[in-house]
Amino acid sequence: MKNLWGIALSVAIGLSGNLAHAEDWQLAKDEQGVKVYLSSVPGSKYKAYRGVVEIKADVQTINALQEDVSGSCAWIHACAEMKLLKREGDQAWTYSRIDMPWPVNGRDLVLHVSTERATDGSVVRRLEATPDYVPEVKGLVRIPRLLGEWRMTPKGQGVTEVVYQVQTEPGGSIPSWLANSFVVDAPFNTLSSLRDQAERRR
């Protein structure tokens, strides 16, 4: 099932806007070494999610997978298409298309991605929806708002802790059953697949 939150793909943005208020995190799933937390967001009917996993690969390996924009559909939950629109140093703009299950209309998403590197070797990749960056596509609903963050922190002995956090307003109408399942499935499946890909490249 293709899903919208999985496309949050990719990257995500920092703790600004409503995401800054999503702090009352409740554990929703803890399986196979992946933990998923949910938090209500003031003014939104959609919950923010945070996924946490330890990966037996270094930050550089995981970062390389994320920078391969077109190849990221291999591990991002529900990614139908992803492409790089523009890159300027540590700033990038990406376009993603998401096929939604019938009868929900398909979505697309334009993200501004910024990457920060710290002296301890950690990498933070932030993203924010920029819906007006390119014209809307007929037949798709443009996602109007997304904030999120990827945080990759070296833990020693070739292990990296990865935190993936997102809050989004998907636009249009999304059935509650779909929204409730996606906010858990998207971070869980994305982090599980990313771990598999990264550990195979060690």
Side-chain angles (χ1 to χ4, degrees):
M1 178 182 294
K2 302 293 184 182
N3 98 40
L4 156 66
W5 285 268
I7 202 63
L9 94 82
S10 31
V11 240
I13 133 169
L15 306 180
S16 60
N18 282 353
L19 192 57
H21 302 291
E23 293 301 329
D24 184 22
W25 296 101
Q26 303 294 321
L27 183 65
K29 187 169 185 173
D30 183 357
E31 293 182 15
Q32 302 171 30
V34 180
K35 294 183 178 181
V36 176
Y37 302 85
L38 301 180
S39 175
S40 297
V41 178
S44 175
K45 62 180 180 179
Y46 300 102
K47 290 187 176 182
Y49 62 72
R50 175 189 286 169
V52 182
V53 69
E54 286 195 348
I55 297 177
K56 295 177 182 177
D58 58 26
V59 171
Q60 291 78 9
T61 298
I62 300 167
N63 187 58
L65 283 166
Q66 294 192 346
E67 290 190 343
D68 178 12
V69 177
S70 61
S72 63
C73 278
W75 54 269
I76 290 172
H77 183 58
C79 178
E81 175 191 5
M82 250 195 103
K83 60 184 178 181
L84 180 66
L85 298 176
K86 183 179 180 180
R87 189 187 298 277
E88 289 183 352
D90 287 334
Q91 309 290 314
W93 288 260
T94 66
Y95 174 84
S96 305
R97 181 173 55 83
I98 309 101
D99 290 334
M100 303 293 288
W102 186 89
V104 180
N105 290 334
R107 261 62 176 176
D108 66 357
L109 171 66
V110 183
L111 289 174
H112 172 218
V113 183
S114 59
T115 302
E116 302 170 6
R117 295 170 175 82
T119 56
D120 67 353
S122 62
V123 173
V124 178
R125 179 162 281 118
R126 308 180 189 277
L127 38 116
E128 180 173 13
T130 53
D132 299 327
Y133 190 78
V134 296
E136 293 189 11
V137 177
K138 185 177 180 180
L140 297 175
V141 176
R142 177 66 49 85
I143 296 171
R145 187 172 185 280
L146 182 144
L147 300 174
E149 178 180 276
W150 283 97
R151 185 176 295 270
M152 295 164 279
T153 306
K155 307 302 287 186
Q157 298 183 331
V159 174
T160 301
E161 180 187 70
V162 179
V163 179
Y164 175 43
Q165 182 170 320
V166 169
Q167 194 273 324
T168 188
E169 298 294 331
S173 177
I174 300 288
S176 59
W177 64 267
L178 193 57
N180 291 336
S181 65
F182 280 1
V183 292
V184 175
D185 292 346
F188 182 83
N189 293 338
T190 296
L191 288 174
S192 296
S193 296
L194 177 62
R195 180 178 59 191
D196 291 345
Q197 292 271 337
E199 292 185 352
R200 283 201 294 267
R201 294 191 176 197
R202 284 189 304 167

